[in-house]
Amino acid sequence: MSDQSPWVTVPAWPHPALRPGVISYRGIRMALDRPRRRLEAPIGAATLLLGFEAPVRITRAGRPPVSLVSVVNGLTTLPALGEHGGRLSGIEVLLAPWAAFTLFGTPQYELANRSLDPDELADAGAPLGELAAALAALPGWPERFALLDRVLLERLRAGVPVSERVVHAWALLGRSAGRVPVSRLAEEVGWSVRHLENRFREQIGLPPKVAARVLRLQRARRLLAAGHGQAETAAMCGYYDQAHFSGEFRTMTGCTPGEFLAARRLPAATAVADRLAGEPTSLLLTSGRGAPFSKTRGGPTGHADRPAIRLRRRTGASGGQGEPAREAP
């Protein structure tokens, strides 16, 4: 693939020594004659975008929009809207959240439901902006991936050690798609529930119960995309009933299951490169209109405003980090 293509995405597996902490790399180069807007649903991974040129504008619930060239995102429980002017290039790295803890040396609850410039992280080591510039200067993707392998290996080996018990608990939660009870996780790793919750917030970013909701909904989107009905999907994923499933889906994705699938079937959806291979994680929102479920109006620039996704957080007495507001189905 040539760097001169209007849209190039180059997936690559990182060096074997980096797995399973580093899930994947994706090289991106886009040169369009129009802006692009994407709705991103929560996934069970942290994200590092090492940008080469133009910034991305990111809107999240309860936070002001940010425009960044390089971005780090922790685990999220709510949708985010990403917008850019049509030009985008860089490398996106998906990380197991515990690997992000080691790589950045930052408690992951500080990154949950946030988008930051990675150079803002005080313990992240050498500025990642310098790494992004070095990657951009190389002639092609193989050379870029090779440099990224070397840098990430060095940083992970020198980084803050992660608890093997946290890694084990996260793996159990992932394999079950969020269906292992927290009490069983705590028993499996030999900790109290309270201690597990504290360590999970530090090294994963969300309490186990909230992280389980993200993983469960991720599986539900995959089942829906594979052709399973909503009632069947709700039962397979352990929701109380279809109404519970629909309410969770709307809270965490910004639309109902049916609306999400309808948007994924639009012709423009074929241009979406999802963040996880084989996982329906994104919706492309075309200029001049939002997703089928949104209520948009023309803004000052002549483009449609953001879709009417429910970008809000609960700030009640429970104080759960990143836990979204529950809505009646």
Side-chain angles (χ1 to χ4, degrees):
M1 295 182 181
S2 166
D3 278 3
Q4 301 307 311
S5 300
W7 161 244
V8 174
T9 178
V10 186
W13 289 106
H15 189 282
L18 286 169
R19 292 176 284 185
V22 179
I23 298 169
S24 67
Y25 301 157
R26 185 167 63 126
I28 299 170
R29 183 171 294 277
M30 181 184 301
L32 302 175
D33 59 359
R34 61 192 181 280
R36 171 160 283 191
R37 307 162 65 235
R38 286 168 60 118
L39 185 69
E40 295 286 357
I43 60 173
T47 306
L48 171 64
L49 173 64
L50 296 167
F52 297 168
E53 48 177 325
V56 177
R57 177 183 169 91
I58 302 170
T59 303
R60 293 187 177 278
R63 300 188 184 277
V66 295
S67 292
L68 299 167
V69 176
S70 291
V71 187
V72 60
N73 301 311
L75 288 189
T76 66
T77 57
L78 296 171
L81 185 74
E83 305 170 271
H84 59 80
R87 297 190 64 85
L88 184 67
S89 61
I91 296 180
E92 183 182 63
V93 183
L94 292 186
L95 300 157
W98 55 262
F101 170 74
T102 296
L103 184 67
F104 300 122
T106 301
Q108 290 302 286
Y109 60 77
E110 295 184 3
L111 305 184
N113 286 305
R114 297 185 69 188
S115 296
L116 299 172
D117 186 325
D119 287 345
E120 294 181 30
L121 305 180
D123 298 325
L128 287 170
E130 295 180 5
L131 173 59
L135 291 168
L138 292 173
W141 299 111
E143 295 87 354
R144 291 167 184 155
F145 294 144
L147 174 59
L148 194 54
D149 279 345
R150 293 195 300 273
V151 172
L152 292 186
L153 275 171
E154 291 173 3
R155 295 173 72 104
L156 288 172
R157 287 169 175 166
V160 179
V162 67
S163 167
E164 291 298 325
R165 298 192 200 191
V166 169
V167 174
H168 182 54
W170 174 255
L172 288 175
L173 206 59
R175 286 198 295 269
S176 70
R179 298 198 64 180
V180 177
V182 176
S183 58
R184 182 177 155 195
L185 283 178
E187 181 180 356
E188 179 72 24
V189 300
W191 283 339
S192 69
V193 169
R194 185 176 184 84
H195 189 66
L196 175 65
E197 289 174 343
N198 289 337
R199 298 301 293 274
F200 235 68
R201 288 187 69 248
E202 177 193 40
Q203 300 184 15
I204 301 298
L206 301 172
K209 188 173 182 180
V210 180
R213 291 173 58 206
V214 174
L215 295 171
R216 180 166 53 171
L217 194 71
Q218 184 174 305
R219 184 188 181 214
R221 292 196 307 267
R222 185 167 62 246
L223 290 174
L224 287 173
H228 295 274
Q230 293 186 36
E232 181 186 15
T233 296
M236 292 173 69
C237 294
Y239 293 96
Y240 299 128
D241 52 29
Q242 187 173 337
H244 176 216
F245 169 49
S246 182
E248 281 282 274
F249 200 104
R250 179 183 289 275
T251 297
M252 297 178 71
T253 304
C255 55
T256 68
E259 290 165 345
F260 188 86
L261 285 176
R264 293 281 301 188
R265 295 187 184 112
L266 292 174
T270 60
V272 175
D274 287 305
R275 298 161 69 197
L276 288 170
E279 297 271 1
T281 65
S282 307
L283 295 180
L284 182 63
L285 307 182
T286 57
S287 179
R289 60 171 294 177
F293 50 87
S294 68
K295 296 178 181 179
T296 59
R297 58 182 175 79
T301 63
H303 299 301
D305 286 343
R306 289 181 288 276
I309 54 178
R310 300 175 186 272
L311 295 177
R312 62 188 184 88
R313 294 179 60 173
R314 180 167 64 195
T315 55
S318 67
Q321 174 67 32
E323 187 171 353
R326 291 294 300 272
E327 299 178 1

